[in-house]
Amino acid sequence: MRKKFVAGNWKMNPNYPEALELLKYLNINVPKDHSNVDILICPPFIYLSEAKNIFTRPDIYLGAQNASAYTNGAYTGEISSTMLKSLGIDYAIIGHSERRQYFGESEEVLAKKIKLCLQENITPIFCVGETLEQRNANEQFEIVKKQISGALYDLSIEQIKKIIIAYEPVWAIGTGVNATPQQAQEMHTFIRNMIMNKYDDVVSQNMIILYGGSVKKDNAYELFSMPDIDGGLIGGASLKGEEFVSIIATAMNIVNK
Ligand code: 13P
């Protein structure tokens, strides 16, 4: 039985005082009895160590929004998975569409990042998803297949077990237009089947597959209720403490139903 998983991706927001306020709010207000829902917050790198101090609760996990494809050395501006691990960070978002689109990250680079995260025992949350143009051309399955096979298929069965996949259709990110539960479910089934065909049924059934793209408290229930949607990777709504807590509560209700 897979757990639900609710993750907040703050992206390049907010400023330092606002970040402190939000972290403190979450530390107090995230429900404590969420044993069937894992909770992850991914603030910008510079707030991670402060977040470690503010979270007095080991039940709220912290993740990075990226990790370098290099281990250490002369790579100005980069943060390595080794550095993240040394701070006690357990998750990293890898291959977000914004990284692909604005920073030119290829499947080859992403495959390196994933391997380095795994070496450090950091769980990569690997993001995939098609653009609107690709969906309009009915290419979404082909695109997601290429993204998954390009970055993950070199992994061993032991390694793939540690991966979380997030399906984030680009057209749904930050637009207020979420994929319908049916559209998301269809893609999640497709992804689960890919993992089954490449690896095995047990790995595929245990894999956490998140949906991301305009998840809000008002649509979380219908999305997270779908059988292959294990929770959400939440952008804008994770910056509002109350709304994010309400999304967590929704996931808890589904699990406890
Ligand atoms: P929004 O929830 O703001 O659409 O962002 C989704 C996302 O990109 C999370 O990684």
Side-chain angles (χ1 to χ4, degrees), residues 18-209:
E18 289 162 348
L20 291 186
E21 201 180 314
L22 184 52
L23 290 166
K24 286 178 189 159
Y25 179 91
L26 294 171
N27 191 52
I28 295 170
N29 293 291
V30 164
K32 302 213 163 54
D33 48 346
H34 60 86
S35 58
N36 280 323
V37 180
D38 281 338
I39 297 163
L40 172 70
I41 311 291
C42 302
F45 286 129
I46 55 164
Y47 305 142
L48 281 170
S49 98
E50 193 81 68
K52 268 262 149 203
N53 293 332
I54 289 175
F55 285 159
T56 50
R57 308 171 46 174
D59 60 309
I60 307 177
Y61 301 131
L62 275 168
Q65 297 173 18
N66 184 20
S68 182
Y70 301 97
T71 45
N72 69 293
Y75 298 101
T76 302
E78 287 288 273
I79 306 281
S80 71
S81 43
T82 317
M83 290 156 71
L84 292 170
K85 195 63 194 188
S86 68
L87 197 67
I89 302 303
D90 296 316
Y91 293 85
I93 299 171
I94 300 292
H96 192 282
S97 62
E98 290 149 15
R99 301 288 326 162
R100 296 173 190 262
Q101 188 181 346
Y102 304 126
F103 303 96
E105 295 190 358
S106 63
E107 305 312 337
E108 198 188 351
V109 166
L110 298 177
K112 280 192 198 157
K113 292 184 172 200
I114 287 169
K115 284 196 184 127
L116 290 179
C117 282
L118 290 172
Q119 265 176 32
E120 294 296 340
N121 216 8
I122 289 176
T123 301
I125 301 181
F126 179 62
C127 302
V128 297
E130 79 287 355
T131 63
L132 184 59
E133 202 181 19
Q134 289 161 340
R135 180 158 280 261
N136 286 341
N138 203 26
E139 291 168 358
Q140 63 271 24
F141 297 110
E142 201 183 308
I143 294 296
V144 167
K145 189 171 181 181
K146 218 164 98 190
Q147 292 168 335
I148 291 183
S149 59
L152 300 184
Y153 273 17
D154 271 353
L155 299 179
S156 68
I157 196 154
E158 284 315 310
Q159 289 175 316
I160 195 82
K161 280 182 190 167
K162 296 177 186 145
I163 303 282
I164 293 177
I165 293 180
Y167 170 54
E168 299 206 312
V170 178
W171 49 270
I173 295 177
T175 59
V177 181
N178 58 287
T180 65
Q182 293 71 25
Q183 283 172 323
Q185 168 63 24
E186 189 184 29
M187 184 58 84
H188 285 222
T189 309
F190 176 79
I191 294 170
R192 216 177 280 292
N193 285 340
M194 273 190 75
I195 300 297
M196 182 179 70
N197 294 335
K198 173 69 185 169
Y199 294 93
D200 67 30
D201 192 39
V202 177
V203 173
S204 147
Q205 285 309 317
N206 287 332
M207 178 169 269
I208 293 173
I209 307 178

Side-chain angles (χ1 to χ4, degrees), residues 7-11 93 96-98 127 166 168 172-176 211-216 233-238:
N9 173 11
W10 290 9
K11 308 193 180 182
I93 299 171
H96 192 282
S97 62
E98 290 149 15
C127 302
E168 299 206 312
I173 295 177
T175 59
Y211 167 77
S214 297
V215 176
K216 305 259 180 304
L233 182 54
I234 295 142
S238 73

